[in-house]
Amino acid sequence: MPGKLKVKIVAGRHLPVMDRASDLTDAFVEVKFGNTTFKTDVYPKSLNPQWNSEWFKFEVDDEELQDEPLQITVLDHDTYSANDAIGKVYIDIDPLLYSEAATVISGWFPIYDTIHGIRGEINVVVKVDLFNDLNRFRQSSCGVKFFCTTSIPKCYRAVVIHGFVEELVVNEDPEYQWIDRIRTPRASNEARQRLISLMSGELQRKIGLKVLEMRGNAVVGYLQCFDLEGESGLVVRAIGTACTLDKLSNTSAFLPACNSPSKEMKEIPFNEDPNPNTYSSGPSTPLKNQTYSFSPSKSYSRQSSSSDTDLSLTPKTGMGSGSAGKEGGPFKTLLRQQTQSALEQREFPFFTLTTFPPGFLVHVGGVVSARSVKLLDRIHNPDEPETRDAWWAEIRQEIKSHAKALGCHAVVGYSESTSICEEVCILSASGTAAVLNPRFLQDGTMEGCLEQRIEEASPPGCGFCHIPYDELNMPFPAHLTYCYNCRKQKVPDVLFTTIDLPVEAVVVGKGCLIQARLCRLKKKAQAEANATSISNLLPFMEYEVHTQLMNKLKLRGMNALFGLRIQITVGENMLMGLASATGVYLAALPTPGGIQIAGKTPNDGTYEQHISHMQKKINDTIAKNKELYEINPPELPEEIIGSPIPEPRQRSRLLRSQSESSDEVTELDLSHGKKDAFVLEIDDTDAMEDVHSLLTDVPPPSGFYSCNTEIMPGINNWTPEIQMFTAVRVSRLSNINPTNQTLNKNFNDLCENLLKSLYFKLRSMVPCCLCHVNFTVALPEDELVQIAVTAVAITYDKNQALQANKAPTEKSQQRASTDNEEQLQFPLELSSDPLSSQPFSPAKEALEGASSHTGIPAAQRDRCNSWIELIKLKAQTIRRGSIKTTTSLEKASPLAEGYLRHRSVPSGTNSTVSVVKMTPLSFLPGAKITKYLGIINMFFIRETTSLREEGGVSGFLHAFIAEVFAMVRAHVAALGGNAVVSYIMKQCVFMENPNKNQAQCLINVSGDAVIFVRESELEVLPVQPPAAAPQPTGSAGDVTT
Amino acid sequence: MSSDLDVFVGNTTLIDEEVYRLWLDGHSVAEAVARRLRGGVLEREGTSVAVLQSDTRDHYRTFQMLERLLHAPPRLLQQLLFQIPPERQALLVQRYYAFDEALARELLGKKLSKGTKKELDEFDNFKRVFKAVEELRGPLAENIQQLFLLPPPLARDYAAIVFFANSRFETGKRRLQFLSFGDFAACAQSMMGHWSQGALAPEAAEPDGDLPKSFLQDLKELKVLVSDKDLLDQHKSLVCSALRGKISVYNELEANFKALSRALVNVGGKLTHARDVRDFFVDLVEKVIEPCRSDKWSLGDLRLFLTHYTAAPRNLPGFRHQALWERYMAAITACLLRMYHD
């Protein structure tokens, strides 16, 4: 009996009138946990009842504590008929189960009803007494901390980053059970909410067990998702990164090194290797202490053998970079071996983190992704969710081999998602292949000696850009040059990643949000046929998305993408692709060339004129963008940079042949001398449309920047004003005979208009930046497209921004000049080879591979691996988009000095309701997070049968989203917190039936509840006492039982 | 491509003051968009009509959801649905309860509990406030301020409206048209301030909106000042001797004293009968203000006269109601001075 849960119902307020005759309510409360229920007395004739109940005590084991939510139901007593439910509150008591989080949950909670929404509030106090449980074989994992944040939480230090944890549980969806034909919608919704709450509790507990097995004490980057598979059931799955975290004893005053041993560090023993020198002594580094057995209960025991055979079959994707054996030096080789051996212990060396401790990330290879189309099928035995497990295992295996092909042992910024339409499901996974520093990956600390050496090996500002793969054996065609920062190692011409921009990265100018948008029509089909047609479309979509991203990146004069997220959504008669990323100019990478348009029929005069007109527009746009984003890279004479390194042709495993479009490219190359350009060949109307659409992206209005990463590259002086928001739009694609072009245009307009609308709404915050802009697309019905955006607008000080921005530029300029001498060591024999510098020219071998693929549609239906594979496929039909790059020496104009504006920050408030900030970021500008109170993970259903009366679909959803925010805030406030960080709306499923005047919506949100202190307040109190939670009203003085 | 559903929800509720005003003024979304367009927002922000429409709809929806809470402003402070900074909450309430004085002037003294089927939000506000404080004890303006979180001047105006509605004073007669809402509100304030129970004892038994019955009853005692011929004569001579040489209309005063005094005393004496109460302001205008005005009294003359007229009975032998008299005359004086203009 390891726990006692205690609940006290204090009072209610603003209850709805339940008795029309008296205009009053006779309310009482049922408190339910597991199978035990308590009731308060009836408080007669009041809309503001004061129950002031006794403490209701539930004696339960901790497994139950983790799985079950506390259910509080407010009812209206009726003597003659059944009692009417007013509404419910579900409280997740998980935050009370670990020692460092909240100690009491106390406050006003909105009383929520799935039909009526919020109906008044109830004041509740909840506590847990945990007894020490020494049972080592326990089923519970109390004490393991969970964080949604995808970086090491601010007041902790990572002792060990163990790695990937995953789990999924399945069940039948109550909504689809026979009983729901006779149950009321309310009962059905509540059954569903309760089940999901139960399943997420169970999932979290199981993940916690895995973490304990790995000797970790926390999960960071925890992402839990629901798959509503309709008749085939309900899947709740989660991934995360197991870590051993050490609480920093004082977040403000002390160095991270002086940790006070915290309570749970004692509980969870980790092997502290006392001899830091073992590491540098060679590959004999003991990893013996680690037993990374993932889910021993699971069926798949497939320990990933590093099969090099994979490589030849699936040369995987990525916009690469890397280091090479040639110039890496002995240390690097050692490092590589270390990491390799450390990571090979793991089945999946994946990390859901997107930001890392300094020195963790050694090299980045590029984006790896895998998708697979599956047919859903009833889950027969919920206790053995093997099919779904196997599906994901397959995809992860693929990701792993892609990473290996890029010369990487790990995948960072890893995430998984699904898109379901009827019985077809697309499973997607993506991440960034990377080489990691082993020091964080195993027990024991060996900082001192290693840190220095790593810095020698790779300069902090550019090291991550250096290619990890073998230059002589490149997994895909890439164009390499010597790093523009250190000049010692090679870098690719562009770099795509799913992670946040590393803090140490040297960037030029500011970043910006880049989106690629795409629609593809698909015939309506059933089952297998449908899955096949979807798998056939996927490669083309990915290719197009990628081409768009590349074009838009060039158009902005930038050379790297961070936070890349590609979402492919499946609907009845179309597929939609939406990729979002933050473009940036990395100082280490070469200046991107321009975009060159080439026409097919050069003799036609008017056509030529048209082409040159387009070319001018593109050139103007690039020039304008460079000015807008302040892209002013230090000027380097071409001789110093040297020509591009010739790519070894025949030696690489992937043979590269002359592309079919090579003739034109050669011609163009001649006409442009050494300057390279990205060639867009216009050979049909399609391509014309593409060029047009390239130019339709309107830059944000002055004073606005936007990005989808945590921080905006180039801005670092945030002021504390933030505004988190969610916007949802559903649009009808009204074309009678839609074509891909019209759909693309519609979709593009929809996204652009939505962004425009956001800028207008937030105009009072200028100068500001929209950060973590997160778009999700759904196709709820035949012609409907739903787009949901969550982001945060943060104000910044324009004056300081300009000053701070100059520093890196100056620094890199300086570096460039000092490096001149060194640079001369690299002989100019590395002359350029225009043909080999086409990252996406279809290779002969690829073509062969593709044709062999077409013979086996089953394989295609099931998987669409990566860009490389799809490029192979694409090569058969698509001729345009062949590409060529060299250095362009165009210079943007100097910084545009904007006018200055100072904004006063609203001061603290003394409103009755405490203010709770919400943000999708892991931090609050100008504030210090002093305590993490626990994870918030909430799922709500709202339904109406009086849609018109509630203001139509917009009125209905507006109210619901506001209600969800309110419930999140109330829970955070009750935990004693004043903010939610890493907030995310994972799902927003909206369905309507206007003919029946009905609508239903499901929303799933999560985040980390925290206490933050303003930095200005910290300065006043130099020694911050261990974060004391502000006692919520109502709990004061009522602590004893 | 049309947007069926289009919402924007901020963690901090966005309030656009301009759109709020348009909404309060009863404009439809289309009208509001047209007005915003005329304001030049497109040129300023470089946006599109569609964006403006979407924005306006969002704000209107928010206001519609807020309206329920605005009906009981303390709930706006306690509710959890909208996170609104306090200064914005105050602005919302203040603007919501602000009213057009011309309209208020028209409605003064009319029944608020029912009837008057004007489809006006402002009228609904009057009714709501009236209903909420009708039964409450204590100072009216303070009650309103507490229940509706209004700034003090606005709360005082509402108190005046409630006071007029309770006592049903006639304000619509042609000869009263020169009086503004502000004049009446000031009069109501003086009357409540000097005459109500709350003015004397905060724990008063009767609502401030009604004048205390006992006080009105007592006012009948003052009739002696005009019914007793000796007292009337002595009163006149005391006032006249005090004002001789100090007032430009001395002759007129001497000639009219008795008529003026009768009017001033009888106005109070009639307050016990609901029917006569209605005529309070009519009587003051007809019997005091108009005669003085036709005799070209200056405001200073009137003030001087009323001061001495109020003070003199202290020296009248046998007059024992000086305190009551002064309490009565304090409000009458304030009303007359406020009303004495063109």
Side-chain angles (χ1 to χ4, degrees):
Chain A
M1 192 57 55
K4 193 190 270 178
L5 171 69
K6 297 179 291 183
V7 183
K8 186 184 176 88
I9 305 298
V10 182
R13 68 185 184 195
H14 310 141
L15 297 188
V17 169
M18 298 299 283
D19 178 3
R20 289 274 164 79
S22 66
D23 266 7
L24 289 167
T25 296
D26 303 318
F28 70 101
V29 182
E30 271 181 16
V31 184
K32 189 175 178 205
F33 190 80
N35 294 318
T36 316
T37 306
F38 292 101
K39 283 181 190 177
T40 65
D41 296 332
V42 173
Y43 194 91
K45 304 203 183 310
S46 172
L47 299 182
N48 300 292
Q50 304 290 317
W51 293 289
N52 226 337
S53 79
E54 58 186 298
W55 284 97
F56 300 124
K57 291 170 193 152
F58 300 86
E59 300 197 328
V60 281
D61 59 35
D62 46 3
E63 186 181 339
E64 216 176 343
L65 279 174
Q66 284 191 292
D67 289 4
E68 290 275 350
L70 175 66
Q71 283 185 75
I72 293 167
T73 312
V74 186
L75 298 112
D76 177 48
H77 175 75
D78 202 322
T79 320
Y80 305 108
S81 59
N83 299 325
D84 291 326
I86 295 172
K88 287 194 168 214
V89 180
Y90 292 90
I91 300 178
D92 178 10
I93 48 165
D94 211 54
L96 297 180
L97 303 182
Y98 29 93
S99 50
E100 279 171 18
T103 53
V104 64
I105 299 177
S106 165
W108 289 100
F109 291 88
I111 301 168
Y112 180 72
D113 178 66
T114 61
I115 306 295
H116 294 103
I118 290 177
R119 304 172 96 187
E121 290 124 36
I122 184 168
N123 194 302
V124 180
V125 187
V126 185
K127 287 178 188 184
V128 172
D129 288 341
L130 270 184
F131 310 128
N132 239 352
D133 182 17
L134 298 172
N135 180 5
R136 293 194 62 85
F137 304 99
R138 57 189 184 171
Q139 285 300 298
S140 86
S141 54
C142 287
V144 174
K145 291 183 289 289
F146 284 79
F147 301 90
C148 294
T149 299
T150 57
S151 55
I152 301 304
K154 295 292 180 290
C155 36
Y156 291 89
R157 185 181 70 102
V159 179
V160 186
I161 299 174
H162 299 282
F164 192 58
V165 278
E166 50 78 31
E167 184 64 86
L168 64 81
V169 292
V170 299
N171 213 314
E172 284 190 43
D173 191 338
E175 180 90 348
Y176 287 86
Q177 285 164 14
W178 64 270
I179 192 161
D180 274 275
R181 315 243 158 85
I182 51 172
R183 238 184 337 203
T184 62
R186 175 182 284 118
S188 161
N189 291 338
E190 282 173 3
R192 229 171 161 193
Q193 284 190 166
R194 201 185 103 78
L195 178 70
I196 288 189
S197 184
L198 209 67
M199 285 169 81
S200 15
E202 183 192 339
L203 192 70
Q204 214 169 311
R205 174 173 58 81
K206 285 184 169 171
I207 293 246
L209 282 171
K210 290 185 172 181
V211 172
L212 290 177
E213 243 169 69
M214 296 165 88
R215 302 180 187 208
N217 62 8
V219 182
V220 179
Y222 184 68
L223 179 69
Q224 184 195 285
C225 291
F226 303 95
D227 295 330
L228 301 166
E229 295 186 354
E231 287 185 8
S232 48
L234 189 63
V235 176
V236 185
R237 56 190 167 79
I239 56 174
T241 305
C243 294
T244 300
L245 298 183
D246 195 356
K247 183 134 170 69
L248 301 176
S249 56
N250 190 315
T251 47
S252 58
F254 297 105
L255 290 168
C258 3
N259 307 305
S260 65
S262 63
K263 194 171 158 194
E264 88 264 67
M265 287 306 295
K266 284 180 206 151
E267 284 168 10
I268 296 146
F270 60 93
N271 185 45
E272 239 175 312
D273 196 328
N275 183 5
N277 291 323
T278 6
Y279 184 73
S280 50
S281 71
S284 61
T285 311
L287 297 166
K288 53 187 187 283
N289 297 318
Q290 281 167 301
T291 47
Y292 296 110
S293 58
F294 280 80
S295 56
S297 59
K298 283 295 180 52
S299 53
Y300 59 92
S301 54
R302 211 173 350 139
Q303 194 75 16
S304 70
S305 57
S306 55
S307 54
D308 269 335
T309 47
D310 267 6
L311 277 177
S312 50
L313 292 172
T314 48
K316 292 306 149 33
T317 179
M319 308 299 97
S321 76
S323 78
K326 192 172 89 181
E327 80 271 37
F331 173 73
K332 199 162 209 176
T333 317
L334 175 64
L335 182 73
R336 183 177 286 272
Q337 284 165 0
Q338 291 296 319
T339 320
Q340 189 152 9
S341 56
L343 286 169
E344 268 171 8
Q345 301 287 318
R346 297 159 165 83
E347 185 176 18
F348 297 115
F350 297 170
F351 300 85
T352 54
L353 304 179
T354 58
T355 307
F356 309 92
F360 182 79
L361 201 61
V362 181
H363 300 302
V364 167
V367 170
V368 284
S369 73
R371 290 183 208 279
S372 138
V373 182
K374 298 291 183 189
L375 277 179
L376 298 173
D377 183 12
R378 184 170 284 278
I379 298 166
H380 296 289
N381 183 0
D383 295 329
E384 290 291 325
E386 282 172 335
T387 333
R388 268 65 176 174
D389 265 337
W391 288 355
W392 286 112
E394 199 178 282
I395 283 208
R396 289 169 193 148
Q397 205 60 52
E398 215 165 295
I399 289 278
K400 188 177 169 180
S401 64
H402 289 357
K404 206 157 263 177
L406 287 174
C408 297
H409 310 295
V411 176
V412 294
Y414 180 73
S415 67
E416 295 175 351
S417 62
T418 58
S419 172
I420 296 170
C421 180
E422 304 287 315
E423 77 273 78
V424 173
C425 174
I426 303 180
L427 278 66
S428 309
S430 74
T432 304
V435 173
L436 305 177
N437 182 340
R439 120 173 107 99
F440 293 94
L441 302 172
Q442 54 206 37
D443 294 351
T445 45
M446 30 194 81
E447 277 146 78
C449 68
L450 201 74
E451 211 140 13
Q452 214 179 347
R453 304 193 60 163
I454 283 185
E455 262 158 44
E456 279 168 24
S458 52
C462 62
F464 73 93
C465 303
H466 302 157
I467 52 162
Y469 37 83
D470 185 350
E471 189 192 335
L472 303 177
N473 192 8
M474 291 212 300
F476 56 88
H479 181 235
L480 303 181
T481 47
Y482 280 104
C483 174
Y484 277 53
N485 197 23
C486 67
R487 320 234 155 264
K488 286 177 186 149
Q489 314 230 356
K490 289 179 182 168
V491 293
D493 54 347
V494 281
L495 184 62
F496 284 14
T497 77
T498 58
I499 55 170
D500 271 316
L501 182 73
V503 275
E504 66 269 23
V506 180
V507 300
V508 174
K510 295 195 169 64
C512 76
L513 179 72
I514 291 178
Q515 286 192 322
R517 303 144 186 157
L518 190 67
C519 293
R520 277 288 170 270
L521 285 166
K522 164 185 92 62
K523 284 206 181 72
K524 280 195 190 181
Q526 293 299 309
E528 293 262 329
N530 193 18
T532 309
S533 69
I534 292 168
S535 342
N536 288 343
L537 275 172
L538 282 178
F540 297 99
M541 295 200 59
E542 297 228 29
Y543 176 84
E544 291 269 309
V545 162
H546 180 262
T547 309
Q548 261 191 48
L549 283 174
M550 195 63 113
N551 286 340
K552 291 188 175 180
L553 185 67
K554 302 248 171 201
L555 203 61
R556 285 167 179 82
M558 298 176 184
N559 57 19
L561 287 181
F562 286 88
L564 176 63
R565 188 168 158 265
I566 302 176
Q567 203 195 349
I568 304 264
T569 310
V570 57
E572 291 254 296
N573 58 351
M574 65 174 132
L575 287 173
M576 288 203 136
L578 179 67
S580 302
T582 300
V584 67
Y585 186 107
L586 285 178
L589 267 45
T591 306
I595 297 176
Q596 195 74 48
I597 300 185
K600 266 283 191 184
T601 45
N603 295 326
D604 187 340
T606 53
Y607 189 71
E608 200 102 296
Q609 208 179 352
H610 181 69
I611 294 282
S612 71
H613 176 68
M614 298 283 281
Q615 183 68 60
K616 188 179 176 303
K617 263 173 91 174
I618 285 182
N619 293 346
D620 289 352
T621 310
I622 294 177
K624 233 191 290 169
N625 279 330
K626 282 187 173 173
E627 194 176 325
L628 179 65
Y629 300 111
E630 295 159 19
I631 296 170
N632 251 339
E635 219 161 307
L636 295 173
E638 203 164 345
E639 307 84 65
I640 292 170
I641 299 160
S643 315
I645 300 153
E647 284 181 48
R649 256 181 270 175
Q650 299 305 319
R651 275 175 296 174
S652 70
R653 199 185 296 233
L654 252 184
L655 285 179
R656 224 163 287 110
S657 67
Q658 317 285 9
S659 76
E660 282 144 285
S661 52
S662 59
D663 292 346
E664 284 110 16
V665 174
T666 319
E667 258 171 55
L668 275 167
D669 197 56
L670 287 171
S671 60
H672 289 92
K674 267 188 162 181
K675 284 188 188 172
D676 303 43
F678 193 78
V679 180
L680 267 184
E681 195 181 299
I682 300 182
D683 52 1
D684 54 15
T685 42
D686 263 32
M688 211 54 156
E689 291 288 335
D690 286 356
V691 174
H692 276 298
S693 72
L694 258 189
L695 297 167
T696 53
D697 283 12
V698 186
S702 116
F704 271 108
Y705 288 96
S706 54
C707 63
N708 76 333
T709 45
E710 282 248 312
I711 50 158
M712 172 70 183
I715 298 181
N716 43 18
N717 47 314
W718 305 107
T719 45
E721 196 186 338
I722 66 168
Q723 168 69 287
M724 189 283 295
F725 60 86
T726 291
V728 181
R729 271 188 193 187
V730 176
S731 277
R732 194 168 290 278
L733 303 165
S734 49
N735 301 42
I736 301 154
N737 288 313
T739 61
N740 284 335
Q741 276 75 40
T742 55
L743 284 179
N744 278 345
K745 189 177 180 314
N746 283 343
F747 184 35
N748 214 38
D749 289 350
L750 183 59
C751 294
E752 285 291 320
N753 287 338
L754 185 46
L755 280 170
K756 252 191 238 167
S757 195
L758 299 181
Y759 296 134
F760 181 72
K761 290 235 170 244
L762 299 163
R763 63 194 184 282
S764 67
M765 292 180 77
V766 163
C768 84
C769 179
L770 296 191
C771 293
H772 213 284
V773 177
N774 186 11
F775 273 65
T776 46
V777 182
L779 295 163
E781 267 173 60
D782 255 14
E783 288 167 337
L784 294 183
V785 181
Q786 176 194 314
I787 300 184
V789 190
T790 297
V792 63
I794 312 183
T795 55
Y796 66 91
D797 188 325
K798 201 163 186 174
N799 193 20
Q800 282 179 32
L802 288 170
Q803 288 172 348
N805 200 40
K806 276 175 190 155
T809 317
E810 278 163 12
K811 208 165 87 188
S812 50
Q813 263 165 348
Q814 209 173 13
R815 189 174 293 147
S817 59
T818 53
D819 282 351
N820 282 359
E821 267 178 64
E822 274 177 69
Q823 192 57 45
L824 291 173
Q825 295 169 2
F826 296 98
L828 293 175
E829 71 197 33
L830 310 167
S831 62
S832 83
D833 179 349
L835 291 183
S836 61
S837 55
Q838 299 171 19
F840 287 96
S841 58
K844 204 178 257 171
E845 193 191 71
L847 275 171
E848 281 159 17
S851 52
S852 69
H853 264 292
T854 48
I856 36 166
Q860 273 183 42
R861 187 195 64 204
D862 212 60
R863 62 220 314 248
C864 160
N865 293 329
S866 62
W867 286 328
I868 291 296
E869 228 172 45
L870 41 108
I871 286 153
K872 293 183 203 163
L873 293 164
K874 190 78 175 175
Q876 296 174 297
T877 45
I878 310 259
R879 301 261 169 106
R880 68 204 149 85
S882 52
I883 279 148
K884 176 165 187 324
T885 317
T886 30
T887 323
S888 141
L889 293 174
E890 275 177 68
K891 290 299 156 205
S893 64
L895 299 182
E897 294 280 336
Y899 66 99
L900 308 175
R901 199 202 282 193
H902 286 282
R903 295 191 56 83
S904 61
V905 179
S907 55
T909 60
N910 33 356
S911 150
T912 9
V913 179
S914 59
V915 172
V916 175
K917 300 225 173 206
M918 289 169 75
T919 175
L921 308 180
S922 64
F923 68 97
L924 289 140
K928 201 139 228 162
I929 292 171
T930 56
K931 195 173 184 184
Y932 282 81
L933 299 165
I935 199 166
I936 296 282
N937 187 10
M938 299 168 98
F939 176 82
F940 299 103
I941 301 179
R942 182 84 155 76
E943 187 165 345
T944 182
T945 49
S946 51
L947 188 58
R948 275 187 297 276
E949 295 78 354
E950 291 190 35
V953 286
S954 296
F956 171 72
L957 194 62
H958 192 143
F960 185 35
I961 294 173
E963 283 167 350
V964 169
F965 286 1
M967 289 185 276
V968 170
R969 288 192 302 256
H971 277 77
V972 172
L975 287 169
N978 54 7
V980 191
V981 296
S982 299
Y983 170 81
I984 174 172
M985 185 168 83
K986 293 176 291 191
Q987 229 143 4
C988 177
V989 184
F990 178 76
M991 288 156 287
E992 57 167 321
N993 188 343
N995 299 330
K996 286 188 174 173
N997 205 18
Q998 287 175 347
Q1000 193 193 40
C1001 188
L1002 292 79
I1003 288 185
N1004 178 211
V1005 297
S1006 64
D1008 295 325
V1010 301
I1011 300 173
F1012 73 85
V1013 181
R1014 288 251 161 263
E1015 257 155 25
S1016 51
E1017 290 162 36
L1018 276 174
E1019 280 156 25
V1020 181
L1021 304 164
V1023 180
Q1024 180 67 18
Q1031 279 290 319
T1033 48
S1035 69
D1038 212 348
V1039 188
T1040 49
T1041 53
Chain B
M1 187 137 111
S2 60
S3 281
D4 294 3
L5 184 159
D6 179 7
V7 298
F8 175 100
V9 189
N11 183 40
T12 303
T13 306
L14 287 182
I15 307 286
D16 185 302
E17 289 184 42
E18 185 196 357
V19 183
Y20 188 50
R21 185 164 294 290
L22 292 167
W23 177 73
L24 285 175
D25 289 347
H27 296 291
S28 68
V29 172
E31 287 164 0
V33 169
R35 278 174 186 255
R36 295 181 79 185
L37 281 172
R38 259 176 269 149
V41 72
L42 280 198
E43 295 73 33
R44 234 174 18 251
E45 303 294 335
T47 192
S48 68
V49 178
V51 166
L52 207 57
Q53 274 167 345
S54 145
D55 180 63
T56 310
R57 276 193 214 106
D58 263 324
H59 285 302
Y60 266 54
R61 265 198 308 276
T62 306
F63 299 145
Q64 275 149 21
M65 285 188 262
L66 278 170
E67 187 159 27
R68 193 173 47 89
L69 297 164
L70 284 166
H71 289 170
R75 282 198 59 183
L76 185 67
L77 264 66
Q78 284 184 335
Q79 55 85 32
L80 305 176
L81 192 55
F82 298 99
Q83 187 158 273
I84 305 171
E87 67 276 5
R88 288 261 134 182
Q89 289 181 344
L91 177 120
L92 284 173
V93 173
Q94 199 176 327
R95 293 268 174 86
Y96 190 79
Y97 283 93
F99 54 83
D100 177 21
E101 294 205 345
L103 173 86
R105 169 72 184 80
E106 237 176 85
L107 293 173
L108 269 182
K110 303 231 164 62
K111 255 192 177 172
L112 289 177
S113 49
K114 48 187 175 244
T116 324
K117 289 177 188 64
K118 286 205 178 180
E119 293 282 318
L120 281 162
D121 295 339
E122 290 174 15
F123 185 67
D124 290 339
N125 285 342
F126 297 156
K127 278 208 291 200
R128 191 175 309 111
V129 173
F130 180 77
K131 217 181 150 200
V133 298
E134 207 178 11
E135 313 277 300
L136 291 183
R137 293 166 188 181
L140 196 52
E142 276 174 42
N143 284 338
I144 292 171
Q145 204 181 321
Q146 254 172 35
L147 283 175
F148 293 92
L149 308 174
L150 301 178
L154 190 57
R156 285 198 290 271
D157 283 351
Y158 268 95
I161 289 164
V162 172
F163 180 72
F164 268 75
N166 261 337
S167 309
R168 313 283 314 283
F169 294 113
E170 172 65 68
T171 62
K173 282 258 168 67
R174 254 197 68 199
R175 52 167 36 111
L176 296 182
Q177 285 310 310
F178 74 100
L179 294 170
S180 69
F181 172 80
D183 295 334
F184 283 118
C187 294
Q189 240 179 76
S190 314
M191 288 159 82
M192 281 186 285
H194 294 291
W195 294 353
S196 68
Q197 289 221 335
L200 297 181
E203 300 302 316
E206 286 173 73
D208 258 16
D210 298 324
L211 293 176
K213 294 240 158 50
S214 57
F215 170 73
L216 297 179
Q217 208 62 44
D218 290 348
L219 290 182
K220 290 186 184 295
E221 305 289 331
L222 300 177
K223 283 201 168 171
V224 70
L225 282 174
V226 287
S227 57
D228 183 320
K229 199 163 177 316
D230 282 354
L231 276 181
L232 183 60
D233 286 339
Q234 286 178 44
H235 193 182
K236 180 181 172 183
S237 69
L238 281 170
V239 174
C240 285
S241 63
L243 289 177
R244 193 191 312 262
K246 292 182 182 162
I247 190 169
S248 61
V249 286
Y250 180 77
N251 293 335
E252 291 83 350
L253 162 66
E254 208 170 21
N256 284 339
F257 182 87
K258 285 183 182 173
L260 283 175
S261 188
R262 264 188 213 105
L264 288 168
V265 173
N266 287 338
V267 159
K270 283 163 80 179
L271 287 177
T272 38
H273 303 292
R275 281 197 49 150
D276 300 332
V277 168
R278 308 194 47 156
D279 294 334
F280 180 77
F281 287 100
V282 181
D283 286 350
L284 283 184
V285 170
E286 196 178 342
K287 293 175 179 160
V288 182
I289 290 178
E290 283 178 355
C292 293
R293 206 189 277 148
S294 68
D295 287 344
K296 304 251 180 323
W297 289 44
S298 72
L299 185 63
D301 293 336
L302 186 61
R303 181 179 291 116
L304 212 54
F305 163 69
L306 287 170
T307 311
H308 289 277
Y309 177 72
T310 306
R314 191 179 295 142
N315 302 319
L316 288 178
F319 183 69
R320 288 189 297 276
H321 308 293
Q322 185 60 25
L324 178 68
W325 171 247
E326 282 179 10
R327 179 180 170 195
Y328 168 69
M329 277 310 291
I332 295 287
T333 303
C335 288
L336 284 172
L337 293 177
R338 174 78 203 212
M339 289 157 73
Y340 195 72
H341 61 77
D342 294 328

